[in-house]
Amino acid sequence: MLESVKISRRQSEIRQALAGLVGKSQPTEDETRSMETLDTEYRGNETRYRASLIVEDTERREAGADLETRSDREYAELIGKFELRQVALHLDEGRKIDGATAEIVEELRSQGGYRGVPVPWQALEKRAGETIASGTPSPVTTAPIIDRIFADSAAVRMGASMVNIGQGSNEYPIASGSVTAGWADGETANVPGPTVYSTSERMLAPNSTLGIQMKITRKTLKQSGDGLEQAVRRDMNGAISVALDKAVFLGTGANGQPSGVLVGSYGITSTAVTAAASWSAFRAAVTRFLTANAANGPAAVKLLIRPEVWSDMDDTLIEGTAVSEWDRLVKNIPAGNIVMSSNALAAAAGSPLATKALLTTSVGGVAPIFVGTWGAIDLIRDVYSDAASGGLRLTALATADVTVSRAVQLEILTGIQ
C-alpha cells in the first residue's frame, strides 16, 4: 500500500477520535492530554503526507515513462524474431505458425482484414549478416518503419516522409492564403484588413495497391532451409523498393498507379532549361527557392538528376580552367544532397537528348513529399497455379499513395540536354 494512503487513513481515524472527544463539555485530564497528542500527530502527518505525495509523483512519472516506451521496445524485439520462413511453410504445407511470429500475425489480424498471412513492414529489413551493397546504411531499431525498408531509395534521400496509416485516409491542411500586415494611415485610420487565412488539403488515400508475385519451386523449399527466409526478404525488399520509388516520381495516376511528383497536378513550378546541363541552370532554381523563402541557402536544397547529367557536367570544363560544371555544382550544393537515379527519372529522349531534374527542400521540418502505406503487407498463397509441380506461388500486396506538401518546396527543371 502507498505510504500516502496509509497516512490518509490514519488522519481519518484521528479526526473521528477528536470528534468524539471535542463533543464532551467537561473532558477529563486524560482526554485533554489525548486531544493534545492526537492534534500533534495530525499536524505531523500533514507534513509527511505532502512529502509522500511528492515522492510518489516522481515514481509515477518514472514508471509512466517506462510504460510508454516498453510496448514499443517489446514489439521491436518481437519483430526481430519474426521468421518469414514460417509464413512460407504455413502457406506451402500448412505448418503451424508459432512463437513470436504467431504473436505478430495475431496482432496484425486484430487491427485489419487480410486474406492471407499479414507480414509487418519491419520484417523486410535486411538482417545482420546479409550481403549489402557498399555504403548502404545498416537499418537500426530507432528508424521509422518505412524508412528502414527503403533507406537507400531516392524518395527518402530527397526528403520524402514515409507515413504508415492503420486505416482510412490522412489529410494534411496546408496554408494557401496568408494573413498580411499593414500600417494605419493616420492617427484615426484603421489598420488594413481583415485578410482571410485559408488552407488547402493534401490527401493520402488507399486507392493504389502494389503487388509482388514470387514463384518458389519445390526443390528450393527442400534445399534452402533457413536461407529461404533471407532470399525471399531480399527479393521482396528489392521489388517493393524499385516499384514504389518509381511511382513516387513517375506514377501516372492511371491504371491503379498513384500520381507521381513529376506527373501529378500538384501546382509545382516547372521551368524549361532547354540547354546543356550547367550549374547556372540549377543556380537559377535555387535562387527561386531563396526568393520564395523556401530555403535559407543552397545547402538546404536536394537535387535529383539522372547519371547522364552528372557525366556530362563532369566532362564540361570552364574555359581556361580545370574546373568542371560538376565541381561548381557540388561546391554549392553538398554532394550528399545530390541523388542520381535512373529509376526515379525517365530516360533522356528527344533530339537533342533531354531529361528532367527535381529540386526539393524542407521548410520548418515539413517534408516536401509524403508517401503513405497502409497497415502491413498481405502475403497470399496461390494454391492452384503451381499445384502440379509442388511449387509455391506467393503474392504480396501493399497499399500506398503519394502526395506533396507545399508546391513551393519543389521545382521541376525540364529540357536538360
Side-chain angles (χ1 to χ4, degrees):
M1 183 183 298
L2 293 176
E3 188 65 24
S4 61
V5 177
K6 294 179 181 178
I7 296 174
S8 179
R9 289 185 177 181
R10 177 54 185 164
Q11 294 294 75
S12 178
E13 293 173 357
I14 293 174
R15 285 194 297 269
Q16 290 177 359
L18 285 172
L21 294 172
V22 171
K24 294 185 178 182
S25 58
Q26 294 180 345
T28 64
E29 292 182 1
D30 291 339
E31 290 173 338
T32 302
R33 285 193 297 270
S34 179
M35 282 190 288
E36 292 175 352
T37 302
L38 291 173
D39 180 64
T40 302
E41 182 183 355
Y42 189 88
R43 289 197 300 269
N45 284 347
E46 283 296 302
T47 303
R48 292 178 57 214
Y49 182 72
R50 288 194 295 272
S52 297
L53 288 178
I54 293 172
V55 173
E56 291 165 6
D57 181 66
T58 302
E59 293 175 349
R60 287 191 189 98
R61 290 177 184 274
E62 293 175 352
D66 181 63
L67 288 173
E68 288 175 0
T69 57
R70 185 181 299 168
S71 60
D72 293 337
R73 291 200 308 268
E74 291 176 348
Y75 188 69
E77 291 172 0
L78 279 178
I79 291 294
K81 300 175 184 178
F82 188 91
E83 294 182 354
L84 201 59
R85 180 171 59 91
Q86 285 198 46
V87 177
L89 293 174
H90 170 75
L91 294 173
D92 177 50
E93 56 191 46
R95 180 176 298 185
K96 182 181 179 181
I97 299 176
D98 56 20
T101 305
E103 290 186 43
I104 295 171
V105 169
E106 290 302 316
E107 176 69 19
L108 292 173
R109 285 194 185 282
S110 68
Q111 297 177 5
Y114 299 94
R115 288 187 58 198
V117 180
V119 178
W121 287 91
Q122 302 97 311
L124 297 186
E125 69 175 336
K126 293 180 178 178
R127 304 286 173 83
E130 295 185 31
T131 302
I132 58 176
S134 176
T136 302
S138 178
V140 294
T141 304
T142 55
I145 294 175
I146 308 303
D147 289 7
R148 198 159 41 185
I149 301 174
F150 308 116
D152 200 34
S153 72
V156 171
R157 286 183 288 164
M158 286 298 290
S161 174
M162 302 297 182
V163 183
N164 188 256
I165 305 168
Q167 59 185 3
S169 301
N170 267 24
E171 185 177 80
Y172 296 89
I174 305 296
S176 57
S178 59
V179 176
T180 58
W183 297 94
D185 186 16
E187 183 178 356
T188 60
N190 295 328
V191 295
T195 53
V196 177
Y197 184 85
S198 58
T199 61
S200 58
E201 284 67 42
R202 300 296 192 188
M203 195 71 111
L204 286 173
N207 298 328
S208 302
T209 299
L210 175 65
I212 304 100
Q213 292 194 36
M214 292 166 287
K215 184 176 180 180
I216 305 173
T217 64
R218 181 175 177 82
K219 180 179 180 181
T220 301
L221 290 168
K222 301 303 179 185
Q223 282 185 333
S224 300
D226 291 343
L228 177 62
E229 178 181 348
Q230 286 77 19
V232 171
R233 182 184 293 114
R234 284 195 298 270
D235 283 346
M236 293 181 68
N237 183 13
I240 292 176
S241 179
V242 171
L244 188 55
D245 216 26
K246 185 174 183 179
V248 168
F249 299 99
L250 298 176
T252 62
N255 303 321
Q257 298 183 31
S259 295
V261 174
L262 297 171
V263 180
S265 302
Y266 297 114
I268 302 172
T269 300
S270 180
T271 304
V273 175
T274 318
S278 65
W279 159 238
S280 61
F282 297 114
R283 181 181 59 203
V286 172
T287 302
R288 287 189 286 272
F289 271 146
L290 299 177
T291 304
N293 295 321
N296 55 13
V301 176
K302 296 182 181 292
L303 173 63
L304 175 65
I305 59 174
R306 282 193 59 94
E308 296 91 333
V309 174
W310 160 76
S311 177
D312 192 61
M313 293 182 68
D314 193 53
D315 193 46
T316 304
L317 299 179
I318 307 301
E319 187 176 354
T321 71
V323 178
S324 67
E325 290 287 350
W326 181 255
D327 294 330
R328 296 178 66 193
L329 176 64
V330 296
K331 182 181 178 181
N332 294 277
I333 298 179
N337 286 10
I338 302 175
V339 180
M340 287 183 277
S341 174
S342 59
N343 180 55
L345 293 173
S351 181
L353 291 175
T355 184
K356 293 181 179 180
L358 177 68
L359 291 89
T360 67
T361 186
S362 297
V363 180
V366 178
I369 306 168
F370 292 117
V371 181
T373 57
W374 276 260
I377 299 169
D378 197 357
L379 192 60
I380 304 171
R381 182 197 177 188
D382 182 350
V383 298
Y384 302 109
S385 298
D386 299 313
S389 62
L392 172 64
R393 183 169 298 190
L394 301 176
T395 299
L397 300 178
T399 302
D401 194 20
V402 181
T403 190
V404 304
S405 54
R406 290 175 286 233
V408 72
Q409 292 180 232
L410 304 96
E411 179 157 348
I412 301 171
L413 299 181
T414 62
I416 301 177
Q417 299 173 1

